[in-house]
Amino acid sequence: MPELPEVETTKSGIAPHVVSDRVTEIIIRQSQLRWPITDNLATILTGQTLTHIERWAKYLLLHFQGADSGVLMIHLGMSGSLCIAESGSEPGKHSHVDICFAKGTVLRYTDPRRFGCILWLGAQPHEHKLLKALGPEPLSDAFSGAYLKQLAGNKSQAVKQFIMDQKVVTGVGNIYATEALFAAGIHPKRMAKSISLTRYDSLTQHIKTILSNAIAQGGTTLKDFVGGDGKPGYFKQELLAYGRKGDPCVQCQTPLQEIKLGNRATVFCQKCQS
DNA sequence: ATTCTACCCTGCAAGC
DNA sequence: TGCTTGCAGGGTAGAA
């Protein structure tokens, strides 16, 4: 479900309720996620204090301090969410993990499709291979048109797949890639190497603007995404291309087309994007 | 080295 | 009404 704005929304929704609190209990109802949850997670975390939460790409890094200080990494996959629950409240069908805190708050991980993961990275989280290979944050200065142009080099890969590659830039998924290419007037299938620096400048600016707006709106709720505070995201009403196959283009009224690119639905305007 | 593809899993909507 | 099919916000491993 979540791309960068949704993960950011989750982080800011849950952090005020759990940061600085001490873990009293871990309940694992289902350990088989993308990778299995280590079976000694309760031993590791119980008694430790959650000092802060960091978002890195689409990962949430929960920093714990105590007898076995380190980082718990959580990815929400396609359908995952984290919410704050009351101690003793009834878990849903796919509520796989509860992290219970001393003040009575429960941080609850729910993920119907189980594409997410919960991994204990220990004290050297940045050395983990899943984090090491990641590209720059899209909202950082390191992410620029010049950077993209340089990295595109001689790649014949479609630009949409290029910018969705987390090694190129983190946090951009199918929705925001679709939207940014529409906004920049770039055909999603165009080869990465064939795009000018000027157009990459435009593309990076649109990615930054769209992601910032989405964060400000609390993310995009398509089905049941809710932030940590239980409120839905309001960005969906601002989507101009994603999910609008057949609808008239907002600029030229031409019906939007849908193609498959790397098995992902890709909507674009044949007239405005080249 | 890059670039596809198949797959992990459940739920939902559309079509018959 | 009920079954089948395809599709979904992600990312990896392994094949081409």
Side-chain angles (χ1 to χ4, degrees), chain A residues 29-215:
Chain A
R29 302 183 189 84
Q30 166 65 272
S31 64
Q32 299 304 303
L33 305 181
R34 181 75 168 80
W35 295 287
I37 302 174
T38 180
D39 53 17
N40 60 352
L41 190 65
T43 311
I44 293 168
L45 288 183
T46 303
Q48 298 214 63
T49 298
L50 175 58
T51 58
H52 64 287
I53 302 178
E54 174 189 8
R55 180 194 58 74
W56 191 350
K58 297 174 192 171
Y59 295 99
L60 286 170
L61 305 181
L62 281 62
H63 292 253
F64 288 93
Q65 207 162 60
D68 190 5
S69 297
V71 165
L72 185 70
M73 180 171 85
I74 299 179
H75 195 291
L76 302 174
M78 291 271 259
S79 59
S81 62
L82 278 169
C83 68
I84 299 297
E86 292 298 318
S87 171
S89 69
E90 199 61 25
K93 183 178 174 187
H94 301 290
S95 298
H96 306 313
V97 178
D98 282 358
I99 301 176
C100 311
F101 289 89
K103 287 176 188 158
T105 309
V106 174
L107 181 59
R108 180 165 284 164
Y109 176 85
T110 302
D111 185 5
R113 290 175 73 181
R114 287 191 271 135
F115 282 6
C117 65
I118 300 180
L119 297 175
W120 176 251
L121 301 191
Q124 306 293 326
H126 295 12
E127 296 303 308
H128 195 277
K129 66 169 184 179
L130 290 175
L131 295 181
K132 235 179 164 176
L134 293 173
E137 286 284 328
L139 298 177
S140 73
D141 291 341
F143 181 62
S144 65
Y147 164 80
L148 273 189
K149 179 64 185 164
Q150 197 253 327
L151 202 60
N154 205 32
K155 285 183 198 290
S156 51
Q157 190 181 30
V159 62
K160 175 160 177 273
Q161 293 173 292
F162 178 61
I163 60 168
M164 284 177 68
D165 183 342
Q166 303 300 296
K167 292 191 284 300
V168 174
V169 57
T170 66
V172 179
N174 201 34
I175 295 179
Y176 299 112
T178 299
E179 290 299 307
L181 289 167
F182 176 79
I186 298 173
H187 195 293
K189 221 170 166 177
R190 175 171 283 280
M191 288 187 285
K193 65 180 174 188
S194 76
I195 295 170
S196 69
L197 175 58
T198 309
R199 300 188 87 197
Y200 270 131
D201 278 334
S202 164
L203 181 59
T204 51
Q205 283 313 309
H206 282 293
I207 289 174
K208 287 170 194 280
T209 306
I210 289 168
L211 290 177
S212 302
N213 285 345
I215 291 170

